[in-house]
Amino acid sequence: MASNIKITFLGTGGSLPKPGRALPAVAVHIDDVLNLFDCGEGTQKQIMKSSISYMDIKNIFITHFHGDHFLGLAGLINTMSFSGRENDLNIYGPPGAIYFVKKIIDLGYYSLNFNIKITELDYGKTYDLGKFLLRTLKSDHPVPAISYSIEEKDAYKIDRNLVDKINFPVNKLEALRSLGRLEINNKIFKIEDVSLGIKKGRKIVYSGDTRPLNSMVEFAKNADVLIHDSTMDSSMEPMVNAYGHTSSRQAAEIARDANVKKLYLFHYSARYNDLKILLNDALSVFPRTYLSTELMDVDVPKDTEVIPLH
């Protein structure tokens, strides 16, 4: 299980940038694995102002190919190459990702010094990315779009008394934790033999652009953090929904019904200078609502509860 998970909000606006509010980009750091969700215009400059490094990004997940969510890729990739990057970069997205990302890679005159692996993801699937599971949900937006859930893998709580009781070699514990079972000297050991219970992994859900979805409630169930499209306030719902977005009140209803620990509003329309109207709209429905703001770091604490095996 990962020991540290940190979210960095790089850009929180939608459609149009404005002073003090960049376009969508959210970094999720899981130990030594840095993931970027969306890459709006100017993301590399936001990264340079933040606590993270663009050279450390391993995975980029694009929710959809409207310009405000991906046009920062060209500059970011160019800068990575210019800075001497050698490590592979993984870029994931909905159907169409291979076409659009290849167009970006081929844009302009520059030398690409590293490999870019582009993967089009299916809706409603789970992918094992090593440190975490990635789940996908089909968003309700005018173009192909994906909502993402990063889920830390559950881990067994090891009890050294049980380890000693069955004479299990301590230097094999990590292998047992990883594999679930091991054969040593013709004897089968199972992880359950040395465990008191399971510690549930943390869960972060990023909606991207979407109308309110009933399926989002189940998708975000019990999430530690839900980052949800909150483009306009409730008075604008007919218009915001027509354009494929969610109001702050509707996002709060989803957070409430999904029993999430924290909701962060995101993707604010440029029409709002003061975001309190969006926040108050949501707080009236879900008290654990917060505004995401530029360059804000959010640590996701571990859950200390251990669920007994029996």
Side-chain angles (χ1 to χ4, degrees), residues 16-281:
L16 301 173
K18 63 185 300 180
R21 195 179 302 157
L23 292 175
V26 179
V28 178
H29 219 148
I30 304 179
D31 281 348
D32 60 343
V33 179
L34 181 56
N35 308 281
L36 180 65
F37 288 81
D38 282 332
C39 188
E41 175 190 346
T43 293
Q44 63 172 323
K45 289 188 68 176
Q46 292 297 100
I47 291 173
M48 291 172 187
K49 299 175 188 175
S50 76
S51 59
I52 65 176
S53 168
Y54 57 79
M55 294 294 276
D56 292 336
I57 297 171
K58 181 176 182 180
N59 304 306
I60 299 178
F61 301 95
I62 303 298
T63 56
H64 65 290
F65 288 93
H66 275 149
D68 57 328
H69 288 257
F70 82 97
L71 286 179
L73 278 176
L76 181 60
I77 290 171
N78 198 313
T79 298
M80 285 176 171
S81 189
F82 189 79
S83 300
R85 182 184 179 110
E86 295 180 350
N87 294 331
D88 290 355
L89 176 66
N90 303 305
I91 300 180
Y92 301 87
I98 292 174
Y99 172 81
F100 287 113
V101 176
K102 282 186 173 179
K103 289 283 189 184
I104 290 169
I105 293 171
D106 293 337
L107 190 63
Y109 298 102
Y110 73 103
S111 297
L112 187 61
N113 302 321
F114 58 94
N115 293 322
I116 295 179
K117 300 178 179 179
I118 312 166
T119 303
E120 292 185 355
L121 300 173
D122 294 324
Y123 303 121
K125 298 291 186 180
T126 300
Y127 299 88
D128 189 334
L129 297 187
K131 282 277 186 180
F132 58 89
L133 299 176
L134 182 82
R135 301 189 194 277
T136 63
L137 175 71
K138 190 178 189 300
S139 307
D140 186 2
H141 201 54
V143 300
I146 285 181
S147 298
Y148 292 107
S149 176
I150 278 189
E151 300 180 18
E152 182 183 30
K153 295 176 181 178
D154 295 344
Y156 286 89
K157 175 69 173 177
I158 302 298
D159 182 355
R160 287 299 295 269
N161 291 327
L162 291 176
V163 173
D164 295 339
K165 183 178 179 179
I166 65 173
N167 296 315
F168 185 83
V170 175
N171 65 340
K172 300 289 186 180
L173 276 175
E174 285 307 310
L176 181 62
R177 189 195 294 272
S178 175
L179 298 172
R181 56 187 289 146
L182 275 181
E183 182 175 347
I184 302 174
N185 297 328
N186 297 318
K187 183 177 180 181
I188 299 294
F189 294 92
K190 295 183 292 184
I191 187 66
E192 292 88 345
D193 298 334
V194 297
S195 175
L196 289 174
I198 295 174
K199 295 180 70 174
K200 293 293 291 181
R202 288 160 284 183
K203 178 177 175 179
I204 300 164
V205 175
Y206 175 60
S207 75
D209 290 5
T210 184
R211 296 181 181 94
L213 282 171
N214 291 332
S215 54
M216 183 65 74
V217 173
E218 183 60 33
F219 188 67
K221 201 76 173 177
N222 300 322
D224 294 81
V225 174
L226 170 60
I227 304 165
H228 202 286
D229 180 347
S230 314
T231 300
M232 295 182 185
D233 68 273
S234 56
S235 70
M236 307 292 289
E237 278 174 10
M239 183 174 76
V240 77
N241 294 163
Y243 282 101
H245 296 285
T246 302
S247 76
S248 51
R249 182 191 68 83
Q250 290 169 326
E253 289 177 339
I254 290 168
R256 178 198 63 200
D257 296 345
N259 191 39
V260 307
K261 292 180 181 176
K262 291 183 177 181
L263 166 66
Y264 283 89
L265 304 182
F266 190 78
H267 197 271
Y268 313 125
S269 167
R271 71 174 55 223
Y272 296 97
N273 292 317
D274 186 353
L275 298 175
K276 287 180 182 176
I277 185 172
L278 299 175
L279 180 61
N280 291 335
D281 232 9

